[in-house]
Amino acid sequence: MARAWMVRAGADGDREEASLSEGLTIAGWPELGDLTHCASWDDLGAEIGKAYPHESPRVLSNWRGQLWRFRSVLTPGDTIVLPLKDGHVAIGSLTGDYHYRAGEAPGFRHVRTVNWQRVDTPRSEMRADLRATLGSLLTVSELRRFDAAARLAALAQGHSDPGNPNAPADLRLLDRPAGLAEKVADAPPGQAVELTVRDLLSIWDAVSRSSKTIADIRRDLSKLGLSTVPPFTEVPSIDHTIRVIPIGQSPEVERKSLGQETAGLELETVEPDDAGPEVLDLLDEDSSADGCTEDVGESEEGRTEQGNEGSPAACVGALTWPDT
């Protein structure tokens, strides 16, 4: 069965024109060389590590997952989605295998060929749940929830979004984590979104750091290409201020948004310790964590913590989204 993938074109849509005019999907990662010889997960990891020696191991692991999919998992016939700067969405069908264009400019070398079937799809033609699946900040991500592949294929043919008749009961919460990703994406370069752990928990309708809540938040942060600094699980109080930063963007975008590389940052764990070729697929499944309500630390209440110092931030405060 064909799958659906979103491949972004850079922070400012730098690769958008080339993608559409040349019939390509382009991954970025300008310092990274030819991946044709990387036939294994370990080969790919070694190549990325050589190209980016000053990045955090967690970021490198995240990039490896994305690039493994771009190189080895995407299959001709899969649907490719490209969000455009003007707010529309391009939808096409993948037609070719991974190719490295050594003669092209850095950032335009890792490509797959695409037959773009529709390049002006308004987001308004997508129902809210399908729009929300496009919220990830990852450069390469799979769109698998709510029968996304079949619905996007219908839109590519000029049909209306057929919707998902089997949408789960928690659908109304879907826009909330995606809204956090939008806040991060809209923050000025070099500034981070700051909020308390209490406010972060409220986005997931939670009031404490139970094991299930932690698993849910980590899963969603991974899907959205986000992490927290310091880790929201390790600060002593839920009134402690943390920063939410993107970690799933390609390196040229990361430098523009963060103003630094990630090796010196203490990041929240947002993927399994044994992350391998199927990590993003595992993260899309329902969490297997139990429903334990024991909080991390001895007590969440009765303690205050001064907000951590760091780069200038776009302060969010209590983030809320209306029920739908």
Side-chain angles (χ1 to χ4, degrees):
M1 180 179 296
R3 299 159 78 172
W5 306 86
M6 179 172 64
V7 182
R8 294 189 175 276
D12 300 315
D14 303 328
R15 301 185 294 274
E16 179 179 306
E17 181 179 353
S19 296
L20 297 179
S21 63
E22 300 178 45
L24 298 171
T25 180
I26 308 173
W29 278 272
E31 291 85 0
L32 193 59
D34 190 357
L35 304 180
T36 304
H37 67 282
C38 296
S40 74
W41 178 254
D42 290 338
D43 289 344
L44 180 58
E47 196 71 26
I48 297 171
K50 286 190 298 183
Y52 300 102
H54 303 299
E55 296 291 349
S56 161
R58 289 177 181 169
V59 170
L60 294 177
S61 177
N62 183 293
W63 290 352
R64 177 164 59 169
Q66 294 183 68
L67 287 164
W68 178 259
R69 279 154 182 76
F70 188 84
R71 182 208 174 280
S72 304
V73 179
L74 275 67
T75 303
D78 285 351
T79 296
I80 303 296
V81 174
L82 171 62
L84 304 176
K85 291 183 294 184
D86 64 5
H88 291 76
V89 175
I91 308 174
S93 178
L94 191 72
T95 58
D97 294 331
Y98 169 81
H99 177 62
Y100 182 74
R101 305 189 301 171
E104 297 296 327
F108 291 77
R109 295 171 177 168
H110 305 282
V111 304
R112 308 278 302 257
T113 55
V114 176
N115 174 27
W116 294 109
Q117 299 163 294
R118 189 176 179 189
V119 298
D120 58 352
T121 309
R123 288 177 182 257
S124 60
E125 290 190 9
M126 302 178 182
R127 298 191 183 188
D129 58 338
L130 185 58
R131 288 198 307 271
T133 65
L134 306 182
S136 175
L137 298 184
L138 295 172
T139 299
V140 182
S141 60
E142 183 172 11
L143 308 175
R144 60 182 302 171
R145 301 190 71 187
F146 310 126
D147 202 24
R151 295 165 67 181
L152 288 164
L155 287 167
Q157 297 298 323
H159 304 303
S160 61
D161 177 4
N164 178 23
N166 299 314
D170 65 351
L171 178 60
R172 85 181 163 83
L173 300 179
L174 181 63
D175 283 335
R176 297 186 176 187
L180 177 61
E182 292 174 4
K183 295 280 187 182
V184 174
D186 291 340
Q191 296 188 0
V193 168
E194 281 190 353
L195 71 170
T196 65
V197 175
R198 184 189 301 276
D199 291 334
L200 181 77
L201 295 172
S202 72
I203 297 172
W204 279 263
D205 272 5
V207 295
S208 65
R209 292 176 286 189
S210 70
S211 58
K212 183 179 186 306
T213 295
I214 289 173
D216 289 344
I217 293 177
R218 282 176 167 172
R219 179 199 63 213
D220 290 343
L221 289 178
S222 178
K223 288 191 294 186
L224 293 167
L226 302 175
S227 187
T228 68
V229 179
F232 76 92
T233 54
E234 297 180 13
V235 295
S237 165
I238 64 172
D239 291 314
H240 191 101
T241 298
I242 57 174
R243 291 182 290 157
V244 182
I245 66 169
I247 65 167
Q249 299 170 317
S250 56
E252 67 275 19
V253 180
E254 172 195 273
R255 295 181 195 124
K256 183 177 292 186
S257 62
L258 293 181
Q260 66 180 106
E261 293 177 314
T262 57
L265 298 177
E266 183 183 9
L267 302 174
E268 176 59 48
T269 299
V270 292
E271 57 191 9
D273 292 336
D274 61 344
E278 297 305 316
V279 60
L280 293 184
D281 295 335
L282 291 173
L283 289 165
D284 273 338
E285 300 297 331
D286 290 338
S287 170
S288 60
D290 59 39
C292 172
T293 58
E294 180 180 353
D295 294 334
V296 173
E298 294 181 1
S299 174
E300 295 288 355
E301 305 296 342
R303 291 181 293 183
T304 59
E305 185 76 16
Q306 184 176 355
N308 56 305
E309 297 180 357
S311 61
C315 295
V316 176
L319 298 174
T320 58
W321 286 260
D323 292 338
T324 57

